[in-house]
Amino acid sequence: MKTEVRGNGGSISLQNPSLFNTPLDPITGALKGCLGSLDGACIEKLLLHCASALENNDVTLAQQVMWVLNNVASTVGDTNQRLTAWFLRALISRASRVCPTSMNFNGGSMFQRRLMTVTELVGYVDLIPWHRFGFCASNGAIFKAVEGYGKVHILDFSITHCMQWPTLIDALAKRPEGPPSLRITVPSCRPQVPPLLNVSKEEVGHRLANFAKFRDVPFEFHVKDDDPCLSHETFATQFESLLTQLTRSQLDLRDDEALVINCQNWLRYLSDETKGNTTTVRDAFLDVIKGLNPRIIVVVDEDCDLSASSLSSRITTCFNYLWIPFDALETFLPKDSRQRLEYESDIGHKIENIVGFEGFRRTERLESGVKLSQRINDAGFVSLPFCEDTINEVKSLLDEHASGWGMKREEDMLVLTWKGHNSVFATAWTDEGLSVVQVEPTETKQGAVSLRKAANG
Amino acid sequence: MPVEVDNSSTVSGDASVSSTGNQNPPPKSAVKKKRNLPGMPDPDAEVIALSPTTLLATNRFVCEICNKGFQRDQNLQLHRRGHNLPWKLRQRSSKEVKKRVYVCPEPTCVHHDPSRALGDLTGIKKHFCRKHGEKKWKCDKCSKKYAVQSDWKAHSKICGTREYRCDCGTVFSRRDSFITHRAFCDALAVESAKTQTNPSSESDPKVQAADSSPRRSPPAAPPPVSAPSAITSSDIRIQSSVLAEDPSTVVEEAPTPAPAPAPPPAGLNGSSSSSVSLVSSGCSSSVFSSLFTSTTVSASIHPPQPLAPAPPLVGLNGSCSGSVSLVSSGASSCSSSGVFASLFASSTVSASIQPPQPRALTNLIRADLAPSTSIEPISLCLSTSHGSSIFGTTGQERRQHAPPLQPAMSATALLQKAAQMGAAASNASLLRGLSIVSSSAPQENLQWGQAQVDPDNASIAAGLGLGLPCDGSSGLKELMMGTPVFGPKQTTLDFLGLGVAAGG
């Protein structure tokens, strides 16, 4: 006995009509409104259905949805297909850990981490302005902030292995009054996220030192060592230990130095969970660095709010945010480009963490620029606007990339946009107590503290 | 003429979707200025989908009286004044006060989704032109092609005007990339190691195309160390590319091109515990295709373990210990690109031992195969490049290379198939899948080449890991706990049958 079903595109004859007694509603609901084709909105709905199925232990539905998604997914397809592929992997990864067992799984992901050479990393960070935007804006702000100083000390908290500094060294080298002597200190611990290098931090520092020498900039590089018995611990544990070592003496801070604190894609890895009455690690970090009396703090991160505890809202937000780098890469790289696939795979790693993990293993806890700015403000910092020179530099940087990249200002924050959608934000701050050189008297957000040009001793 | 998008009138999306959790976070109300959150442009905006013709048309604004076309709305308004319209008609419609966002009419496009709509008309027109239009403008210096004239002009201005050359030979058009590269380039490292007494040229590395770097080191100097190190970094991926390919040589005859030289990967044979990294190949786009190809490799090397229970997840039949990680690779390898396709790929190999298969699905498969071998099963797949679903491509699979582009299947059809699959699976309990080997499977299903398999196992396999609590039969528990249900070499298993070691 045959039954005909008329779908959108035609009829399908099925052998067994009793199949229709099965509950189709969830899938039907998922695909309703898709007009017969699976576009981004549909895929998002499917992902959400899958997630909720997993949370409800509805095996059949989850499997059905995954089956459908799998038909769309392709790491070498178009943007939507690629996104789907990585989200699907993350969901499967999540599913495979649902059963709490004696499986030893200390938060490692299913993905092998790829190690790059330094040269490859250089190309990587410049593929799209995602990182370079932050570098440019930050370096501009730093350059201005250290004007008049003969010594500069940078505490570099970032995941891009000092890719930011050559352009700053170059700019400092060309200072009319001559370059300052420059010290860069990096922590030895780092979140285990891509991009990953195949050389040590010391080696990176060594090369940077070579370059600085080449440009005649006096230079020192230090790796702030952690307790060696923590070397196999998670980043969170290592960092908590590091926090205790961020003191004037242990960092060897000197009075005649301008202290710069650089946080690039860093704060998001610091836990924002309060355990009992203690402050969050994130806030504790801000307090510690405030205590060091820095000249300037620059904070750059991705403008997306992924701190929600609800999986569904994270999936939605993440899906509607990470299409941006995928789309940008699609603009100028062919479908089988190795660089593109690697870049996307690193984003996939992020997706896996956001969607596939919970609790302390979910290390990616992005806050939106606005929220993070509020947090920094609450810690007692005052925002510094970016000067026109910096803004012009950023603009000309973006001009050199694909059209579609833009920039906008939201109060004192600079935001990188792709086709009008926010992607990365950059902010600069200073300690409320210090008087700041060269900032035009403008109203800050609070309106209370007006910053005037002041000679700084 | 502007057309409302059918499936949603606002950016907030279709109200018929209900799912747990907060799907549409409300826009921030606390901030003074209303800002667009990523992925959440103004939810009150009117979403407009223009037709391709409209988007490509240069004269989008047409006078309704005389049909004269204008490129700009202002020009049209100016023109309309000349018609001496009564005051009412001259008014701009109040609709225009509302914020408009535009979506791309192309369904597969990323901008088809209202939450990724573009805020201005010019933007969407340019996008459509660039992305889906013909590239009519070509740069004569570097042969890049552009669909939009302004892009072409902008590029031509920059192309070739500035070039920075590093000692290692790489050329850059952007100064910041050049500086950063130079700082870390091995050429520099070797340079400064060699020359101690270097007459320090102010040496601003800025350079014109013709000149080489101010440092008088010969451009051919140290060969870019990146070459050898490139090999190192790809070493890590070599395993995977071999992984991806080996099964093809094992199971099928046609070898696929390898992106990198392939020394036999250490961890493949399952004896070592190194993690096997899977790089998703350029064309075999499946999530787990390589995951399971590795199994088939080991399966060929070590005799497949006699598996008492069904080999569902048996991604790795115990032969590969260590965690299996997934990375994207460029090898064009396994034809099986579906997650579940490969899930079962492995069982094809070992399936000679036991081919459980419920009848309903068999019928389904047959139904799929009936019409045409080259088209039908393939049509299940939406991914146009290399995808094939569980039911995949029969003929092509044997030849072991990426299937050609497939026609897209409608969502409705997919829905039917999914439901059928679910229906069949819901009959098979977990335990059945694990321990019972039904002998009803027709052998022909196993001849699809390595990609095709056991749809029932698919569902069961998937079912095993998905949301199942750790109670239930001992079989499941053992599976989850990683006791050697599937072979002595397995350490721990997750639902995919992967040994997951700490190093994962």
Side-chain angles (χ1 to χ4, degrees):
Chain A
M1 177 161 85
K2 288 170 87 178
T3 309
E4 269 209 339
V5 174
R6 222 162 279 279
N8 268 8
S11 58
I12 301 167
S13 62
L14 298 158
Q15 307 281 20
N16 188 354
S18 68
L19 287 175
F20 287 104
N21 297 334
T22 64
L24 290 183
D25 283 346
I27 283 270
T28 314
L31 291 177
K32 201 197 302 189
C34 288
L35 306 178
S37 64
L38 288 186
D39 65 353
C42 282
I43 293 170
E44 182 188 330
K45 290 179 205 166
L46 285 174
L47 290 173
L48 290 170
H49 277 268
C50 188
S52 81
L54 289 180
E55 293 190 313
N56 296 331
N57 279 343
D58 186 344
V59 173
T60 307
L61 175 61
Q63 164 226 319
Q64 286 174 347
V65 179
M66 285 188 178
W67 189 88
V68 175
L69 285 172
N70 183 48
N71 276 281
V72 178
S74 164
T75 49
V76 290
D78 64 27
T79 309
N80 275 337
Q81 289 177 305
R82 291 174 187 240
L83 264 177
T84 307
W86 292 106
F87 270 87
L88 180 58
R89 286 193 194 208
L91 283 169
I92 291 176
S93 174
R94 183 186 183 92
S96 71
R97 286 182 207 101
V98 167
C99 187
T101 64
S102 58
M103 281 196 309
N104 187 359
F105 217 120
N106 63 352
S109 87
M110 294 170 70
F111 297 84
Q112 176 76 11
R113 312 283 173 59
R114 184 190 76 248
L115 302 181
M116 283 190 259
T117 66
V118 180
T119 323
E120 283 178 340
L121 182 58
V122 172
Y124 178 94
V125 300
D126 273 321
L127 206 53
I128 49 176
W130 197 268
H131 292 104
R132 181 61 68 186
F133 165 82
F135 295 169
C136 188
S138 302
N139 286 347
I142 293 172
F143 185 82
K144 282 294 181 186
V146 304
E147 255 175 20
Y149 280 84
K151 295 191 184 167
V152 178
H153 184 190
I154 301 179
L155 289 188
D156 183 20
F157 300 101
S158 89
I159 58 171
T160 43
H161 306 277
C162 298
M163 287 293 123
Q164 177 175 350
W165 305 124
T167 40
L168 180 66
I169 292 175
D170 179 66
L172 291 174
K174 295 189 297 195
R175 262 189 358 172
E177 66 266 39
S181 54
L182 178 63
R183 274 204 301 155
I184 296 183
T185 301
V186 300
S188 62
C189 61
R190 178 189 176 278
Q192 288 153 332
V193 296
L196 298 168
L197 272 187
N198 65 353
V199 296
S200 66
K201 296 180 170 53
E202 286 79 6
E203 169 66 21
V204 171
H206 178 69
R207 294 190 190 218
L208 211 50
N210 266 342
F211 179 67
K213 191 163 101 171
F214 169 57
R215 301 305 310 277
D216 294 320
V217 176
F219 184 78
E220 286 176 48
F221 186 86
H222 297 285
V223 178
K224 182 86 194 68
D225 276 323
D226 266 350
D227 192 347
C229 47
L230 289 181
S231 56
H232 292 296
E233 295 292 331
T234 61
F235 169 70
T237 313
Q238 292 173 336
F239 185 77
E240 298 223 13
S241 154
L242 174 72
L243 257 191
T244 61
Q245 298 171 38
L246 294 179
T247 64
R248 281 197 80 82
S249 55
Q250 293 192 63
L251 290 170
D252 187 24
L253 299 186
R254 302 163 196 167
D255 285 331
D256 49 354
E257 270 179 341
L259 179 62
V260 174
I261 308 213
N262 186 56
C263 297
Q264 273 260 339
N265 296 303
W266 183 265
L267 291 181
R268 70 166 107 135
Y269 295 111
L270 308 184
S271 165
D272 58 352
E273 283 179 359
T274 50
K275 304 191 177 152
N277 274 337
T278 57
T279 45
T280 68
V281 176
R282 199 172 293 188
D283 290 322
F285 174 72
L286 291 173
D287 286 337
V288 165
I289 60 179
K290 182 163 194 293
L292 300 175
N293 290 325
R295 162 114 256 125
I296 183 174
I297 299 149
V298 279
V299 175
V300 170
D301 219 318
E302 296 173 352
D303 196 4
C304 182
D305 204 343
L306 290 172
S307 47
S309 51
S310 140
L311 173 65
S312 300
S313 89
R314 290 204 308 272
I315 289 181
T316 301
T317 314
C318 192
F319 190 71
N320 287 318
Y321 173 69
L322 288 176
W323 68 271
I324 294 176
F326 278 85
D327 193 44
L329 290 169
E330 156 109 332
T331 309
F332 67 101
L333 286 175
K335 285 189 170 357
D336 54 357
S337 152
R338 185 188 64 91
Q339 275 184 309
R340 177 177 172 191
L341 288 171
E342 288 176 356
Y343 204 97
E344 290 173 350
S345 136
D346 289 347
I347 300 176
H349 183 278
K350 205 185 316 195
I351 295 174
E352 193 206 14
N353 189 272
I354 293 168
V355 170
F357 287 95
E358 292 293 346
F360 71 91
R361 293 198 190 100
R362 180 163 63 91
T363 55
E364 299 266 347
R365 298 200 176 233
L366 274 170
E367 268 185 306
S368 69
V370 168
K371 272 173 89 173
L372 192 55
S373 295
Q374 188 60 51
R375 186 189 290 267
I376 298 175
N377 216 325
D378 291 344
F381 293 101
V382 165
S383 73
L384 287 177
F386 290 90
C387 65
E388 282 308 308
D389 285 345
T390 305
I391 291 176
N392 289 336
E393 267 205 54
V394 173
K395 279 191 187 156
S396 55
L397 161 74
L398 296 181
D399 283 342
E400 291 173 337
H401 281 269
S403 62
W405 291 109
M407 180 197 74
K408 64 183 185 189
R409 272 184 257 199
E410 292 182 1
E411 289 165 15
D412 285 337
M413 193 164 70
L414 282 188
V415 185
L416 174 69
T417 57
W418 170 253
K419 296 183 180 172
H421 293 262
N422 287 17
S423 52
V424 178
F425 70 88
T427 55
W429 308 83
T430 189
D431 196 341
E432 197 157 21
L434 291 179
S435 55
V436 181
V437 181
Q438 128 283 332
V439 175
E440 298 80 15
T442 53
E443 266 180 81
T444 63
K445 279 203 308 220
Q446 304 88 330
V449 178
S450 57
L451 306 169
R452 293 195 175 75
K453 270 194 204 291
N456 195 13
Chain B
M1 307 307 146
V3 169
E4 299 292 287
V5 171
D6 289 342
N7 60 351
S8 71
S9 58
T10 66
V11 179
S12 324
D14 195 346
S16 65
V17 176
S18 58
S19 63
T20 58
N22 181 14
Q23 208 176 349
N24 292 314
K28 290 200 183 308
S29 49
V31 266
K32 295 175 220 165
K33 283 188 240 175
K34 189 161 194 197
R35 58 180 291 251
N36 288 342
L37 303 171
M40 262 296 283
D42 188 353
D44 296 327
E46 186 187 346
V47 180
I48 299 187
L50 301 169
S51 74
T53 330
T54 318
L55 287 176
L56 288 172
T58 41
N59 287 344
R60 171 169 141 53
F61 300 94
V62 180
C63 174
E64 64 265 31
I65 299 174
C66 62
N67 273 333
K68 188 162 169 170
F70 297 90
Q71 288 204 15
R72 294 208 177 96
D73 189 43
Q74 303 97 295
N75 299 350
L76 170 63
Q77 297 306 325
L78 266 173
H79 159 85
R80 284 172 84 221
R81 279 197 219 155
H83 284 299
N84 292 325
L85 297 166
W87 185 82
K88 205 189 332 176
L89 288 179
R90 221 190 289 167
Q91 285 290 76
R92 304 195 115 200
S93 68
S94 56
K95 255 177 83 168
E96 272 165 320
V97 176
K98 196 173 183 188
K99 160 99 172 122
R100 283 174 165 181
V101 292
Y102 302 88
V103 291
C104 182
E106 179 59 43
T108 56
C109 180
V110 98
H111 291 293
H112 189 68
D113 182 350
S115 37
R116 306 204 203 113
L118 299 183
D120 69 296
L121 178 63
T122 317
I124 192 73
K125 285 177 78 172
K126 275 199 177 166
H127 154 76
F128 188 79
C129 240
R130 275 185 198 119
K131 205 51 190 309
H132 311 292
E134 183 202 329
K135 295 183 162 57
K136 297 188 285 202
W137 308 92
K138 179 177 170 308
C139 172
D140 38 14
K141 283 177 224 154
C142 72
S143 80
K144 269 197 188 157
K145 288 205 174 119
Y146 294 89
V148 177
Q149 187 183 19
S150 53
D151 292 345
W152 171 74
K153 273 195 188 158
H155 166 83
S156 311
K157 261 197 271 184
I158 306 180
C159 188
T161 47
R162 280 182 311 174
E163 272 185 16
Y164 306 92
R165 185 181 301 273
C166 177
D167 287 343
C168 69
T170 329
V171 175
F172 299 87
S173 59
R174 293 205 322 272
R175 186 160 188 275
D176 45 20
S177 341
F178 169 62
I179 302 253
T180 314
H181 167 92
R182 189 158 181 54
F184 292 110
C185 182
D186 306 299
L188 181 66
V190 177
E191 186 73 44
S192 45
K194 277 196 301 186
T195 59
Q196 293 307 340
T197 58
N198 162 28
S200 53
S201 39
E202 24 29 285
S203 50
D204 192 328
K206 204 177 353 188
V207 157
Q208 274 310 315
D211 294 335
S212 51
S213 130
R215 312 205 102 215
R216 51 300 173 275
S217 51
V225 179
S226 50
S229 43
I231 294 181
T232 355
S233 61
S234 63
D235 260 345
I236 292 165
R237 279 179 282 117
I238 283 174
Q239 301 180 45
S240 52
S241 48
V242 174
L243 250 193
E245 290 163 65
D246 269 352
S248 60
T249 53
V250 167
V251 179
E252 315 274 338
E253 52 296 13
T256 52
L268 246 196
N269 293 337
S271 35
S272 79
S273 59
S274 61
S275 317
V276 174
S277 60
L278 296 171
V279 175
S280 75
S281 69
C283 83
S284 92
S285 48
S286 77
V287 177
F288 294 114
S289 57
S290 8
L291 201 62
F292 302 101
T293 59
S294 67
T295 309
T296 51
V297 176
S298 21
S300 62
I301 300 171
H302 311 272
Q305 315 289 342
L307 304 172
L313 336 169
V314 182
L316 308 174
N317 274 334
S319 324
C320 274
S321 60
S323 60
V324 179
S325 36
L326 303 169
V327 183
S328 296
S329 83
S332 67
S333 61
C334 350
S335 44
S336 67
S337 59
V339 173
F340 300 115
S342 34
L343 201 60
F344 308 108
S346 58
S347 21
T348 326
V349 176
S350 50
S352 46
I353 305 172
Q354 50 181 328
Q357 206 152 21
R359 197 150 294 271
L361 280 163
T362 308
N363 290 343
L364 183 61
I365 295 163
R366 285 222 197 90
D368 280 334
L369 289 182
S372 138
T373 48
S374 59
I375 300 180
E376 271 338 288
I378 301 171
S379 68
L380 280 176
C381 182
L382 281 190
S383 65
T384 51
S385 49
H386 309 276
S388 53
S389 68
I390 295 179
F391 304 111
T393 59
T394 54
Q396 276 100 341
E397 296 300 359
R398 291 200 195 95
R399 279 179 291 129
Q400 201 46 212
H401 63 69
L405 291 188
Q406 317 303 346
M409 185 182 221
S410 76
T412 316
L414 264 187
L415 146 70
Q416 308 294 350
K417 303 287 183 203
Q420 289 153 16
M421 198 177 75
S426 59
N427 291 334
S429 73
L430 182 64
L431 298 186
R432 239 178 70 191
L434 268 184
S435 51
I436 295 178
V437 177
S438 96
S439 50
S440 62
Q443 288 301 315
E444 68 222 36
N445 289 311
L446 305 174
Q447 288 166 23
W448 291 352
Q450 77 147 17
Q452 288 355 302
V453 229
D454 231 339
D456 181 44
N457 278 342
S459 44
I460 292 170
L464 273 173
L466 301 175
L468 287 172
C470 242
D471 48 29
S473 85
S474 59
L476 169 60
K477 225 184 238 165
E478 280 168 23
L479 178 66
M480 288 300 175
M481 300 288 220
T483 54
V485 172
F486 297 115
K489 288 180 188 148
Q490 211 76 34
T491 51
T492 55
L493 286 176
D494 62 4
F495 89 107
L496 294 170
L498 307 178
V500 178

